[in-house]
Structure formats: C-alpha cells, structure tokens
Amino acid sequence: MKIPAIAFVVPCYNEEAILQETITQLLKKRMDLIRKKLIAPESRIVLVDDGSSDCTWEKIKQAVEKERKDETVCGIRLSANRGHQNALLAGLMYAKDHADAAVSLDADLQDDIDVLDDFMREYLHGNEIVYGVRNDRSADRFFKRFSAVCYYRMLRWMGVRTIFNHADYRLMSRRALEILSEYREVNLYLRGIVPLIGLRQSIVFYKRKPAVRPTRYPLSKMLLLAWDGITSFSVRPIRIISGLGVLFLFLSFLLLIRILYVKFFGYTVDGWTSMLLAVTVFGGVQLLSLGVIGEYAAKIYMEVKQRPRFNVESILDPSDKKDSLSRESDSKECRK
C-alpha cells in the first residue's frame, strides 16, 4: 500500500487565541508522521472558518501564506456560521478531492494527536474508518462525564448506532468520504451517519486532555445536538408516545368504570380534584405528544426544502495553479 496523503480537517469558530499554537503542533506532528513514513509529504492541514466573528480568518490567511512554499496549510471560509457539523463536513468534502484520507479533530486539540500514529497504522492495515475513543475522561468535570455517559446510553436505547465515548475525532478514507457525500441530510449528525457507512472499521483509544479555553459547546448546544441525534436517527420517541397513548386509553377505561359505578350506586362524587388531575395529566401528555410529533414534522420541513448545508466564501489553496489566494479580498479587517 502506498504512503497516503492525509488532510487534517480542523473546524474553527472564534479560535484566534489558540489557533497559532494548534497549527504549530499539527505541523510538528505532520513532520513526525512523514519521517516515520506513515503519511506522504503532500499531506496538509485544512482549516475551516465557520463564520467566526473574531480574527480567526486572518490567522488562517497568515498561516497559509507562511507555509505557502511547502503547500502544507489550506483555508476554507464559510459565508456564515453554520455550526460545527456543517463546517466539519465542508472540510471533509474538500479533503475528499485532495487527499487519500482525512482526519477530523477539534481546534483545541483536547483529543490527543500523539495517537495519530496508531490511526495511520490502522488505516495502513486496511481499516477505512478509524474512531478515536476516549478511555480516560478524568480531565473533564464530573457533570461533563456524567452527562456524556447518559447521552451515549440514551442514544443506544433510542436505537441510534453510535460509538460510545466517540465525538468527531476520526479518520476516514477517500472511499468512506465518497459514501458520506451521498448522505444528503440537512439535519446533520455525523456521529450517527458515519457508523452507517459500513466498510472496515477500528478503534483507537486515547486519554482526553484538559481544555485550554472555555468550551464552545455549552450545555444548551450539547442538549440540542443530543436531540438532533435522536430525532434524526430514531423513531422510538414516536413509538413511546403510541405506547403512552395505549396506556392512558386503558387508564381512561378504568376511570370510566369507576365513574359509572359511582353514578349507578349513588356514591358521592369526590369533586373537582379527580377531574382536575385527569385534565392535567391527559392535557400534558397531549401537549408533549404534539411537541414530539411537531419536531419530526419540522425536520421533514427542513429536509424537503433541500437548502445547501453550507456556502463557501473563500478557499486558500497554495497548490491551486489558478492561485486561489487571489480569490480572497484584500481587506485586512476582521469580520465583525
């Protein structure tokens, strides 16, 4: 098997404070992998600016220009903030046409890049998808670890195929990326899509590093991502509602028997308490059911519109013979 050219895809959103250090570490790791003959010299780093409001894009431009001679750094700028998953997909689709495989990783490098050697060995042994799985999350706070365990277990219970303790640190071959490009969901959840691709897969374990900056994924975004993962890949919530409907129909039948018993045998009716309880319970179940069904209807609505998942504003590729640097505006001001 020939030595593969790898694209290291890094989604970036307001990362100006740490981006230079991230690029420096990735360049060192790239050279180390080249010396070990695990990747080809044509391997590159692809930085995707997800519509940042700080000077992230300026940092990317500077890195591209600095490494232009060796063509080791490329930049992609999305026209607006589209979210981590769409920014990652934009980088992967670019890598599909410019590399033999792609490794996706976060800009804060909490995911240990030293295990990239193991990623490449697994790939060279024929595995077309390699998952980075955290086997030690002691660097995370207790709530983060507890919520993560609950999250993955809930996904499994809901029937979503996912890799426990795996986020988006993975290697995918060009063939896997080609198959991924056939998935056209607007409600994008790559952690659920990639296991559906099939092909030969393996896992590399690593220890998660402490965060070097406040997380870009607060609790609200994590909950939204979890909800997207469930409603995009599982119909079990709808079936749970159906089961609840049958249960409450049975309870209503028992209540009807009690009411008829009270009526025909002349017992005093308890009053409004039982009435209010019944109205409250059944009303709450109905509203919850409508909300879940509405969520699925909203996802159908988003899918049938078939809007693009991201729009690329600029591409900085030193290897482009047309000099893609000339496509970028000469403005030196950061986007606000």
Short mmCIF file of all heavy atoms in Angstrom, two decimals, residues 128-169:
data_model
loop_
_atom_site.label_atom_id
_atom_site.label_comp_id
_atom_site.label_asym_id
_atom_site.label_seq_id
_atom_site.Cartn_x
_atom_site.Cartn_y
_atom_site.Cartn_z
N GLU A 128 -10.80 1.45 6.88
CA GLU A 128 -11.15 2.68 6.15
C GLU A 128 -11.80 3.74 7.02
O GLU A 128 -11.91 4.90 6.62
CB GLU A 128 -12.07 2.33 4.98
CG GLU A 128 -11.43 1.32 4.04
CD GLU A 128 -11.96 1.43 2.62
OE1 GLU A 128 -12.01 2.53 2.08
OE2 GLU A 128 -12.31 0.39 2.06
N ILE A 129 -12.22 3.37 8.22
CA ILE A 129 -12.70 4.33 9.21
C ILE A 129 -12.07 3.96 10.55
O ILE A 129 -12.16 2.82 10.98
CB ILE A 129 -14.23 4.32 9.34
CG1 ILE A 129 -14.89 4.67 8.00
CG2 ILE A 129 -14.69 5.30 10.41
CD1 ILE A 129 -16.41 4.59 8.02
N VAL A 130 -11.42 4.93 11.18
CA VAL A 130 -10.78 4.70 12.48
C VAL A 130 -11.35 5.72 13.46
O VAL A 130 -11.26 6.93 13.23
CB VAL A 130 -9.25 4.84 12.40
CG1 VAL A 130 -8.63 4.54 13.76
CG2 VAL A 130 -8.68 3.93 11.32
N TYR A 131 -11.96 5.23 14.53
CA TYR A 131 -12.57 6.10 15.54
C TYR A 131 -11.61 6.34 16.69
O TYR A 131 -11.00 5.40 17.21
CB TYR A 131 -13.85 5.45 16.10
CG TYR A 131 -14.92 5.18 15.09
CD1 TYR A 131 -15.12 3.90 14.58
CD2 TYR A 131 -15.75 6.19 14.64
CE1 TYR A 131 -16.11 3.63 13.66
CE2 TYR A 131 -16.75 5.94 13.71
CZ TYR A 131 -16.92 4.65 13.22
OH TYR A 131 -17.91 4.40 12.31
N GLY A 132 -11.51 7.60 17.10
CA GLY A 132 -10.79 7.92 18.32
C GLY A 132 -11.78 7.87 19.48
O GLY A 132 -12.75 8.63 19.50
N VAL A 133 -11.53 7.00 20.44
CA VAL A 133 -12.45 6.79 21.56
C VAL A 133 -11.75 7.14 22.86
O VAL A 133 -10.64 6.67 23.12
CB VAL A 133 -12.96 5.34 21.59
CG1 VAL A 133 -13.80 5.09 22.85
CG2 VAL A 133 -13.78 5.04 20.35
N ARG A 134 -12.40 7.93 23.69
CA ARG A 134 -11.82 8.36 24.96
C ARG A 134 -11.99 7.26 26.00
O ARG A 134 -13.11 6.90 26.35
CB ARG A 134 -12.53 9.62 25.45
CG ARG A 134 -12.52 10.75 24.43
CD ARG A 134 -13.65 11.72 24.72
NE ARG A 134 -13.74 12.76 23.69
CZ ARG A 134 -14.78 13.56 23.53
NH1 ARG A 134 -15.83 13.44 24.31
NH2 ARG A 134 -14.77 14.48 22.59
N ASN A 135 -10.90 6.73 26.50
CA ASN A 135 -10.97 5.73 27.57
C ASN A 135 -10.59 6.32 28.92
O ASN A 135 -10.58 5.61 29.93
CB ASN A 135 -10.09 4.52 27.26
CG ASN A 135 -8.62 4.90 27.17
OD1 ASN A 135 -8.26 6.08 27.19
ND2 ASN A 135 -7.76 3.90 27.06
N ASP A 136 -10.28 7.61 28.94
CA ASP A 136 -9.95 8.30 30.20
C ASP A 136 -10.41 9.75 30.07
O ASP A 136 -9.82 10.53 29.31
CB ASP A 136 -8.45 8.23 30.46
CG ASP A 136 -8.07 8.82 31.82
OD1 ASP A 136 -8.89 9.56 32.41
OD2 ASP A 136 -6.95 8.56 32.30
N ARG A 137 -11.49 10.10 30.80
CA ARG A 137 -12.02 11.46 30.76
C ARG A 137 -11.82 12.17 32.09
O ARG A 137 -12.62 13.01 32.48
CB ARG A 137 -13.50 11.44 30.40
CG ARG A 137 -13.80 10.73 29.09
CD ARG A 137 -15.23 10.92 28.67
NE ARG A 137 -15.55 12.31 28.40
CZ ARG A 137 -16.45 12.71 27.51
NH1 ARG A 137 -17.10 11.83 26.78
NH2 ARG A 137 -16.71 13.99 27.34
N SER A 138 -10.75 11.80 32.79
CA SER A 138 -10.51 12.40 34.11
C SER A 138 -10.26 13.90 34.01
O SER A 138 -10.42 14.62 35.00
CB SER A 138 -9.32 11.71 34.78
OG SER A 138 -8.16 11.80 33.96
N ALA A 139 -9.88 14.40 32.83
CA ALA A 139 -9.66 15.83 32.67
C ALA A 139 -10.97 16.61 32.62
O ALA A 139 -10.98 17.83 32.84
CB ALA A 139 -8.86 16.10 31.39
N ASP A 140 -12.09 15.93 32.36
CA ASP A 140 -13.39 16.59 32.33
C ASP A 140 -13.97 16.68 33.73
O ASP A 140 -13.69 15.87 34.61
CB ASP A 140 -14.36 15.80 31.43
CG ASP A 140 -13.97 15.87 29.97
OD1 ASP A 140 -13.28 16.84 29.59
OD2 ASP A 140 -14.34 14.95 29.21
N ARG A 141 -14.85 17.65 33.91
CA ARG A 141 -15.55 17.78 35.18
C ARG A 141 -16.56 16.64 35.33
O ARG A 141 -16.96 16.01 34.37
CB ARG A 141 -16.26 19.13 35.24
CG ARG A 141 -15.30 20.32 35.24
CD ARG A 141 -16.07 21.62 35.32
NE ARG A 141 -15.17 22.78 35.35
CZ ARG A 141 -15.57 24.04 35.38
NH1 ARG A 141 -16.88 24.31 35.38
NH2 ARG A 141 -14.69 25.03 35.41
N PHE A 142 -16.97 16.44 36.62
CA PHE A 142 -17.88 15.34 36.90
C PHE A 142 -19.16 15.45 36.09
O PHE A 142 -19.63 14.44 35.53
CB PHE A 142 -18.21 15.31 38.40
CG PHE A 142 -19.33 14.34 38.74
CD1 PHE A 142 -19.08 12.98 38.82
CD2 PHE A 142 -20.62 14.79 38.95
CE1 PHE A 142 -20.10 12.08 39.12
CE2 PHE A 142 -21.65 13.91 39.24
CZ PHE A 142 -21.38 12.55 39.33
N PHE A 143 -19.75 16.65 36.02
CA PHE A 143 -21.01 16.80 35.29
C PHE A 143 -20.84 16.46 33.82
O PHE A 143 -21.71 15.82 33.21
CB PHE A 143 -21.54 18.23 35.44
CG PHE A 143 -22.82 18.47 34.67
CD1 PHE A 143 -24.03 17.99 35.14
CD2 PHE A 143 -22.79 19.16 33.46
CE1 PHE A 143 -25.20 18.20 34.42
CE2 PHE A 143 -23.96 19.37 32.74
CZ PHE A 143 -25.16 18.89 33.22
N LYS A 144 -19.71 16.85 33.24
CA LYS A 144 -19.43 16.56 31.84
C LYS A 144 -19.35 15.06 31.62
O LYS A 144 -19.92 14.52 30.65
CB LYS A 144 -18.12 17.24 31.42
CG LYS A 144 -17.67 16.93 30.01
CD LYS A 144 -18.51 17.63 28.98
CE LYS A 144 -17.93 17.46 27.59
NZ LYS A 144 -18.74 18.08 26.55
N ARG A 145 -18.64 14.35 32.50
CA ARG A 145 -18.52 12.90 32.36
C ARG A 145 -19.86 12.21 32.56
O ARG A 145 -20.22 11.31 31.79
CB ARG A 145 -17.50 12.35 33.39
CG ARG A 145 -16.09 12.87 33.21
CD ARG A 145 -15.09 12.00 33.97
NE ARG A 145 -15.39 11.95 35.39
CZ ARG A 145 -14.90 12.80 36.29
NH1 ARG A 145 -14.08 13.79 35.89
NH2 ARG A 145 -15.19 12.69 37.56
N PHE A 146 -20.60 12.64 33.58
CA PHE A 146 -21.89 12.02 33.87
C PHE A 146 -22.88 12.24 32.73
O PHE A 146 -23.56 11.31 32.29
CB PHE A 146 -22.45 12.59 35.18
CG PHE A 146 -23.84 12.10 35.51
CD1 PHE A 146 -24.03 10.82 36.01
CD2 PHE A 146 -24.94 12.91 35.31
CE1 PHE A 146 -25.31 10.36 36.31
CE2 PHE A 146 -26.21 12.47 35.61
CZ PHE A 146 -26.40 11.18 36.12
N SER A 147 -22.95 13.48 32.23
CA SER A 147 -23.89 13.79 31.15
C SER A 147 -23.50 13.05 29.87
O SER A 147 -24.37 12.64 29.09
CB SER A 147 -23.94 15.30 30.90
OG SER A 147 -22.67 15.81 30.53
N ALA A 148 -22.19 12.86 29.63
CA ALA A 148 -21.75 12.15 28.44
C ALA A 148 -22.19 10.68 28.49
O ALA A 148 -22.66 10.13 27.49
CB ALA A 148 -20.23 12.24 28.30
N VAL A 149 -22.03 10.05 29.65
CA VAL A 149 -22.45 8.65 29.79
C VAL A 149 -23.95 8.53 29.57
O VAL A 149 -24.42 7.63 28.84
CB VAL A 149 -22.07 8.12 31.19
CG1 VAL A 149 -22.72 6.76 31.43
CG2 VAL A 149 -20.56 8.02 31.33
N CYS A 150 -24.73 9.44 30.17
CA CYS A 150 -26.19 9.42 29.99
C CYS A 150 -26.55 9.63 28.52
O CYS A 150 -27.47 8.98 27.99
CB CYS A 150 -26.84 10.49 30.85
SG CYS A 150 -26.69 10.20 32.63
N TYR A 151 -25.82 10.52 27.88
CA TYR A 151 -26.09 10.85 26.47
C TYR A 151 -25.91 9.63 25.57
O TYR A 151 -26.79 9.27 24.79
CB TYR A 151 -25.16 11.99 26.07
CG TYR A 151 -25.04 12.25 24.59
CD1 TYR A 151 -26.13 12.73 23.87
CD2 TYR A 151 -23.84 12.05 23.92
CE1 TYR A 151 -26.01 12.98 22.51
CE2 TYR A 151 -23.72 12.30 22.58
CZ TYR A 151 -24.81 12.78 21.88
OH TYR A 151 -24.69 13.03 20.54
N TYR A 152 -24.77 8.96 25.70
CA TYR A 152 -24.50 7.81 24.83
C TYR A 152 -25.44 6.64 25.13
O TYR A 152 -25.88 5.94 24.21
CB TYR A 152 -23.04 7.37 24.97
CG TYR A 152 -22.06 8.33 24.35
CD1 TYR A 152 -21.19 9.08 25.12
CD2 TYR A 152 -22.01 8.48 22.96
CE1 TYR A 152 -20.29 9.96 24.54
CE2 TYR A 152 -21.10 9.36 22.37
CZ TYR A 152 -20.26 10.10 23.17
OH TYR A 152 -19.37 10.99 22.60
N ARG A 153 -25.76 6.44 26.39
CA ARG A 153 -26.68 5.36 26.74
C ARG A 153 -28.09 5.66 26.21
O ARG A 153 -28.80 4.74 25.77
CB ARG A 153 -26.70 5.15 28.25
CG ARG A 153 -25.41 4.49 28.76
CD ARG A 153 -25.45 4.26 30.25
NE ARG A 153 -24.24 3.57 30.70
CZ ARG A 153 -23.95 3.33 31.97
NH1 ARG A 153 -24.77 3.72 32.92
NH2 ARG A 153 -22.84 2.69 32.28
N MET A 154 -28.49 6.92 26.29
CA MET A 154 -29.81 7.27 25.78
C MET A 154 -29.87 7.07 24.27
O MET A 154 -30.88 6.58 23.74
CB MET A 154 -30.13 8.74 26.12
CG MET A 154 -31.50 9.20 25.63
SD MET A 154 -31.88 10.87 26.16
CE MET A 154 -30.56 11.80 25.36
N LEU A 155 -28.80 7.43 23.56
CA LEU A 155 -28.77 7.23 22.11
C LEU A 155 -28.90 5.75 21.77
O LEU A 155 -29.65 5.37 20.86
CB LEU A 155 -27.47 7.79 21.52
CG LEU A 155 -27.35 9.30 21.40
CD1 LEU A 155 -25.99 9.67 20.83
CD2 LEU A 155 -28.45 9.89 20.53
N ARG A 156 -28.18 4.90 22.51
CA ARG A 156 -28.27 3.47 22.25
C ARG A 156 -29.67 2.95 22.54
O ARG A 156 -30.21 2.12 21.79
CB ARG A 156 -27.25 2.72 23.11
CG ARG A 156 -25.81 2.88 22.62
CD ARG A 156 -24.86 1.98 23.40
NE ARG A 156 -23.50 2.07 22.89
CZ ARG A 156 -22.47 1.38 23.39
NH1 ARG A 156 -22.68 0.54 24.39
NH2 ARG A 156 -21.27 1.50 22.87
N TRP A 157 -30.27 3.41 23.64
CA TRP A 157 -31.60 2.96 23.98
C TRP A 157 -32.62 3.39 22.93
O TRP A 157 -33.59 2.69 22.66
CB TRP A 157 -32.00 3.51 25.36
CG TRP A 157 -33.33 3.01 25.83
CD1 TRP A 157 -33.62 1.76 26.28
CD2 TRP A 157 -34.55 3.75 25.87
NE1 TRP A 157 -34.95 1.67 26.61
CE2 TRP A 157 -35.55 2.88 26.38
CE3 TRP A 157 -34.89 5.07 25.55
CZ2 TRP A 157 -36.86 3.28 26.56
CZ3 TRP A 157 -36.20 5.47 25.73
CH2 TRP A 157 -37.17 4.58 26.22
N MET A 158 -32.36 4.56 22.33
CA MET A 158 -33.25 5.06 21.29
C MET A 158 -33.01 4.37 19.94
O MET A 158 -33.70 4.63 18.96
CB MET A 158 -33.07 6.57 21.11
CG MET A 158 -33.67 7.38 22.23
SD MET A 158 -35.46 7.33 22.20
CE MET A 158 -35.85 8.34 23.63
N GLY A 159 -32.00 3.51 19.87
CA GLY A 159 -31.76 2.77 18.64
C GLY A 159 -30.81 3.45 17.67
O GLY A 159 -30.70 3.05 16.52
N VAL A 160 -30.10 4.48 18.13
CA VAL A 160 -29.15 5.19 17.27
C VAL A 160 -27.81 4.47 17.32
O VAL A 160 -27.25 4.24 18.40
CB VAL A 160 -28.96 6.66 17.72
CG1 VAL A 160 -28.01 7.39 16.79
CG2 VAL A 160 -30.30 7.38 17.76
N ARG A 161 -27.28 4.10 16.15
CA ARG A 161 -25.96 3.46 16.09
C ARG A 161 -24.88 4.51 16.31
O ARG A 161 -24.73 5.44 15.51
CB ARG A 161 -25.77 2.78 14.74
CG ARG A 161 -26.62 1.55 14.54
CD ARG A 161 -26.30 0.88 13.21
NE ARG A 161 -24.90 0.47 13.14
CZ ARG A 161 -24.34 -0.06 12.07
NH1 ARG A 161 -25.05 -0.25 10.96
NH2 ARG A 161 -23.07 -0.40 12.08
N THR A 162 -24.15 4.39 17.38
CA THR A 162 -23.10 5.35 17.68
C THR A 162 -21.98 4.64 18.42
O THR A 162 -22.17 3.54 18.95
CB THR A 162 -23.66 6.52 18.52
OG1 THR A 162 -22.65 7.53 18.66
CG2 THR A 162 -24.08 6.05 19.89
N ILE A 163 -20.81 5.27 18.46
CA ILE A 163 -19.65 4.71 19.14
C ILE A 163 -19.53 5.36 20.51
O ILE A 163 -19.44 6.59 20.61
CB ILE A 163 -18.36 4.95 18.33
CG1 ILE A 163 -18.53 4.43 16.90
CG2 ILE A 163 -17.17 4.27 19.00
CD1 ILE A 163 -18.81 2.96 16.78
N PHE A 164 -19.55 4.57 21.56
CA PHE A 164 -19.51 5.10 22.92
C PHE A 164 -18.22 5.89 23.16
O PHE A 164 -17.13 5.44 22.85
CB PHE A 164 -19.62 3.95 23.93
CG PHE A 164 -19.83 4.40 25.35
CD1 PHE A 164 -21.08 4.79 25.79
CD2 PHE A 164 -18.77 4.45 26.24
CE1 PHE A 164 -21.28 5.20 27.10
CE2 PHE A 164 -18.95 4.87 27.54
CZ PHE A 164 -20.20 5.24 27.98
N ASN A 165 -18.39 7.09 23.71
CA ASN A 165 -17.27 8.00 24.04
C ASN A 165 -16.49 8.45 22.82
O ASN A 165 -15.30 8.79 22.92
CB ASN A 165 -16.32 7.36 25.06
CG ASN A 165 -16.67 7.75 26.49
OD1 ASN A 165 -17.30 8.78 26.72
ND2 ASN A 165 -16.24 6.95 27.45
N HIS A 166 -17.13 8.46 21.67
CA HIS A 166 -16.50 8.98 20.45
C HIS A 166 -17.23 10.25 20.03
O HIS A 166 -18.46 10.28 19.98
CB HIS A 166 -16.57 7.96 19.32
CG HIS A 166 -16.29 8.54 17.97
ND1 HIS A 166 -15.02 8.94 17.58
CD2 HIS A 166 -17.11 8.81 16.92
CE1 HIS A 166 -15.07 9.42 16.36
NE2 HIS A 166 -16.32 9.34 15.93
N ALA A 167 -16.47 11.30 19.74
CA ALA A 167 -17.06 12.55 19.27
C ALA A 167 -16.84 12.67 17.76
O ALA A 167 -17.50 12.00 16.99
CB ALA A 167 -16.46 13.74 20.03
N ASP A 168 -15.90 13.51 17.34
CA ASP A 168 -15.64 13.66 15.91
C ASP A 168 -14.17 13.50 15.58
O ASP A 168 -13.70 13.98 14.55
CB ASP A 168 -16.13 15.04 15.44
CG ASP A 168 -17.64 15.13 15.41
OD1 ASP A 168 -18.26 14.37 14.65
OD2 ASP A 168 -18.20 15.94 16.15
N TYR A 169 -13.43 12.83 16.44
CA TYR A 169 -12.02 12.55 16.20
C TYR A 169 -11.94 11.20 15.48
O TYR A 169 -12.04 10.14 16.10
CB TYR A 169 -11.27 12.50 17.53
CG TYR A 169 -9.76 12.44 17.43
CD1 TYR A 169 -9.08 12.94 16.33
CD2 TYR A 169 -9.01 11.90 18.46
CE1 TYR A 169 -7.71 12.90 16.26
CE2 TYR A 169 -7.63 11.86 18.42
CZ TYR A 169 -6.98 12.35 17.31
OH TYR A 169 -5.61 12.32 17.24
#
